[in-house]
Amino acid sequence: MVQKSSLMILDEKITLLETSLERTAEKLGDITAPVMKRYYEIHPGARASFREHGLGNTVKLEAEMVESVVYCLMNWLERPQEIRIMFGSTVPHHEETLHVNTDWFNGLVDAAVHVIAETIPITQQDEHNLLEEIHQGINNLIADARF
């Protein structure tokens, strides 16, 4: 009985998340520009890193990174192990080899969550709570991947 209840809760969460993401897509379309704007406002030093690692195509790298963050947000509930594996290898590599600060990883997640959250009506507290739950889980994962 507990498993059926857990599946129902998971299904409800997935539906809430899909509602949030669909609303964001309807209101903003591609969220890359607003996410990167917010990100660079808070982490201006990351801009030079994106230019350097974008190898002449910074816009493409920005889009790929935002797409990766959205993928992680979308799949956290159903496939957290997959997201753990992604960050488990990505974070140390980026820190050690590419000299990308871990705070920049969190910052990109923070920026994406902020942009999505801004499209959720204040009355939809369940959606806000779920987005914060996912946000916290991913940020904790990034912190854990550092070690």
Side-chain angles (χ1 to χ4, degrees), residues 4-146:
K4 185 175 182 179
S5 175
S6 295
L7 287 176
M8 287 174 52
I9 291 171
L10 178 60
D11 287 344
E12 290 170 9
K13 287 182 173 185
I14 291 168
T15 299
L16 277 176
L17 181 61
E18 288 172 350
T19 298
S20 298
L21 295 174
E22 287 170 6
R23 182 186 306 104
T24 301
E26 288 171 8
K27 286 186 173 187
L28 302 177
D30 180 4
I31 67 168
T32 300
V35 168
M36 294 310 297
K37 180 181 184 298
R38 169 91 178 171
Y39 179 63
Y40 290 142
E41 287 171 355
I42 297 169
H43 299 280
R47 186 182 300 272
S49 182
F50 267 85
R51 280 191 199 119
E52 177 185 347
H53 299 298
L55 303 173
N57 199 344
T58 304
V59 173
K60 180 181 178 203
L61 179 59
E62 290 170 342
E64 288 171 355
M65 294 303 297
V66 171
E67 182 180 340
S68 290
V69 168
V70 172
Y71 178 86
C72 292
L73 294 170
M74 287 174 45
N75 290 289
W76 178 254
L77 294 171
E78 291 183 283
R79 297 193 301 269
Q81 276 307 109
E82 175 185 343
I83 308 309
R84 281 187 183 88
I85 291 167
M86 283 176 59
F87 279 109
S89 61
T90 303
V91 171
H93 169 73
H94 277 69
E95 274 193 326
E96 295 169 18
T97 306
L98 302 176
H99 308 291
V100 173
N101 185 314
T102 302
D103 291 339
W104 292 352
F105 272 89
N106 289 97
L108 195 56
V109 173
D110 296 346
V113 168
H114 177 83
V115 167
I116 294 166
E118 282 189 322
T119 68
I120 301 172
I122 196 146
T123 56
Q124 301 301 319
Q125 194 58 48
D126 288 348
E127 287 182 59
H128 283 283
N129 292 343
L130 177 60
L131 188 59
E132 184 53 35
E133 174 188 326
I134 294 167
H135 183 201
Q136 192 62 43
I138 291 175
N139 277 347
N140 288 343
L141 174 63
I142 293 169
D144 290 346
R146 295 178 65 198

